[in-house]
Amino acid sequence: MTILVTGGAGFIGSNFVLDWLGACDEPVVNLDKLTYAGNVHNLAPLAGDQRHIFVQGDIGDAHLVGALLAQHQPRAVLNFAAESHVDRSILGPGEFIQTNIVGTFQLLEQVRAYWAALDAAAKTAFRLLHVSTDEVYGSLSASDPAFTETHRYEPNSPYSASKAASDHLVRAYHHTYGLPVLTTNCSNNYGPLHFPEKLIPLMIVNAQAGKPLPVYGDGQQIRDWLYVKDHCSAIRAVLASGRLGETYNIGGWNEKPNLDIVHTVCDLLDELKPRADRQSYRSQISYVTDRPGHDRRYAIDARKIEQELGWKPAETFETGIRKTVQWYLDNPDWVAQVQSGAYRDWVAMQYAQA
Ligand code: NAD
Ligand code: TYD
């Protein structure tokens, strides 16, 4: 048996592949385009491991995807591949439409053709698991209940709109063609191997470099944070036992305003790697112009996955964020390697008016 993972050189995908091969011997075919966000160094522990087959390519390349399915005969396809950064989607939505919508469509078409030709037993066993986000549900007010799986889709950014479109396509392929799909909608992840364009790794990296810590607007926007390894265990649970055609919300019951997150990161760094002048890293916080259309609050009601599949996060925010900060302190080479010229160009452009 084999699984095909797309986007397995990115933040969550690489954590998933590493955890999967740490827990079992079922081989992984890993299809990743290696955009700026994809990093083969994330998979360095698997060098020479026969169970991991890495292929550089696009989920929208019908010929390549069809050939990989025919060659490796996976029993499941897990789709992590996406353009994933809201700020980049605001600056240039084109790639988001291309990969998240058109790419998912092409992948679905290839998977549908492959699945239709399987024998009865393989057909019954097959799964396509589509990894999505809570951002498709839009923004909550302070008093709204958390997102359940039946919450209306109200995406507000080009990123979330493109993910919503991909979710709808996945749903339609189940309803129309009977493709055995599962969809997961997860809250904000954090943890090792997180590209430092997102809030938590950006703060850790900027703090140590003595740079400003850019907080958008009033810093009171709320996100529901989940340690990436917990997201990976939830995906394994949904793949193993999720009901066909269902969606599962995944979250850590961990709502926090951005400013609290930044304070926590600063306090951990103050403890683990104090500044030479003994001032707190909090003194580097800098309030900058808010993101256009910035969603105020996300919160996940994760009761369905807990009640149906018995899944719960293993980490609290306190344990997860400490591990995360420690990981960045222990891996300066990884940080230096991802901060390539292209990364520096992005930071210069995005924070130019800060
Ligand atoms: P990421 O940006 O770190 O990684 C995305 C990966 O996909 C990269 O390795 C990239 O090279 C690859 N990729 C991009 N376009 C591709 C294409 N056309 N073909 C093949 N590969 C391509 O993203 P992430 O944070 O790891 O997110 C993974 C998935 O999880 C995404 O679908 C995202 O929407 C979803 N998600 C992310 C979060 C989060 O907090 N990061 C939360 C919920 C859901
Ligand atoms: P981000 O990590 O980009 O994830 P998302 O937008 O998908 O939730 O941002 C998390 C929150 O942090 C979001 O409310 C925007 C905010 N943020 C900042 O305040 N400053 C920053 O430099 C970044 C990247 C994000």
Side-chain angles (χ1 to χ4, degrees):
M1 293 206 295
T2 299
I3 61 167
L4 172 64
V5 166
T6 72
F11 164 48
I12 303 172
S14 59
N15 273 288
F16 181 85
V17 170
L18 291 167
D19 286 6
W20 179 270
L21 292 175
C24 76
D25 279 333
E26 184 174 358
V28 177
V29 179
N30 185 348
L31 172 65
D32 195 297
K33 189 176 172 183
L34 295 182
T35 67
Y36 78 92
N39 185 353
V40 278
H41 296 279
N42 293 355
L43 302 159
L46 299 175
D49 190 327
Q50 308 265 313
R51 301 170 304 163
H52 180 238
I53 300 157
F54 184 80
V55 180
Q56 182 172 4
D58 194 322
I59 56 166
D61 181 340
H63 180 75
L64 173 64
V65 173
L68 287 175
L69 291 168
Q71 184 186 349
H72 298 286
Q73 300 281 306
R75 62 148 180 125
V77 173
L78 290 87
N79 184 31
F80 293 84
E83 289 292 336
S84 71
H85 189 34
V86 174
D87 292 321
R88 286 186 192 253
S89 82
I90 294 169
L91 236 71
E95 280 300 311
F96 290 73
I97 307 304
Q98 209 48 49
T99 282
N100 300 0
I101 306 179
V102 181
T104 302
F105 158 69
Q106 296 288 10
L107 180 70
L108 281 165
E109 278 292 271
Q110 292 309 309
V111 170
R112 177 166 78 93
Y114 164 72
W115 172 76
L118 291 174
D119 66 39
K123 218 171 169 178
T124 305
F126 184 81
R127 298 287 180 272
L128 171 88
L129 190 151
H130 177 62
V131 179
S132 192
T133 167
D134 61 356
E135 302 194 24
V136 297
Y137 298 126
S139 185
L140 295 169
S141 72
S143 57
D144 284 336
F147 300 128
T148 63
E149 287 78 1
T150 54
H151 195 281
R152 207 165 99 176
Y153 269 40
E154 288 180 321
N156 290 321
S157 72
Y159 163 65
S160 54
S162 67
K163 290 296 292 186
S166 68
D167 293 6
H168 290 323
L169 284 169
V170 169
R171 176 192 156 84
Y173 271 63
H174 176 68
H175 192 79
T176 305
Y177 304 113
L179 192 69
V181 306
L182 299 156
T183 298
T184 56
N185 294 87
C186 188
S187 60
N188 284 62
N189 285 213
Y190 67 99
L193 305 170
H194 204 181
F195 194 74
E197 65 181 354
K198 306 279 172 73
L199 179 72
I200 290 178
L202 183 84
M203 295 298 155
I204 300 172
V205 166
N206 276 16
Q208 291 180 79
K211 292 184 181 162
L213 307 180
V215 172
Y216 297 165
D218 62 3
Q220 293 308 312
Q221 305 84 1
I222 291 173
R223 298 292 182 263
D224 185 349
W225 294 93
L226 183 69
Y227 191 62
V228 64
K229 303 282 180 191
D230 281 325
H231 187 187
C232 295
S233 72
I235 290 171
R236 292 198 301 274
V238 172
L239 180 65
S241 316
R243 284 185 294 131
L244 289 187
E246 291 290 315
T247 67
Y248 291 88
N249 283 355
I250 305 171
W253 301 104
N254 224 327
E255 287 184 58
K256 295 200 185 293
N258 292 339
L259 194 58
D260 283 19
I261 298 288
V262 178
H263 283 161
T264 302
V265 167
C266 290
D267 296 351
L268 279 167
L269 285 170
D270 287 341
E271 177 196 326
L272 298 169
K273 195 183 177 190
R275 278 176 33 155
D277 63 5
R278 297 282 151 177
Q279 275 207 56
S280 171
Y281 288 98
R282 288 190 187 204
S283 62
Q284 290 169 230
I285 291 173
S286 155
Y287 292 89
V288 302
T289 310
D290 208 352
R291 169 188 284 173
H294 198 169
D295 284 340
R296 197 66 185 165
R297 174 176 166 239
Y298 303 141
I300 281 278
D301 182 331
R303 277 178 296 181
K304 179 176 173 181
I305 187 170
E306 182 178 339
Q307 285 164 8
E308 276 192 23
L309 307 182
W311 174 87
K312 269 189 186 177
E315 301 290 342
T316 63
F317 186 71
E318 288 64 35
T319 58
I321 193 71
R322 181 174 283 276
K323 283 185 185 176
T324 303
V325 171
Q326 191 63 59
W327 186 87
Y328 280 84
L329 293 177
D330 292 343
N331 289 276
D333 293 347
W334 184 90
V335 173
Q337 187 271 325
V338 297
Q339 290 178 305
S340 66
Y343 173 78
R344 286 196 295 275
D345 293 346
W346 162 254
V347 169
M349 183 168 54
Q350 169 66 7
Y351 298 99
Q353 295 101 359

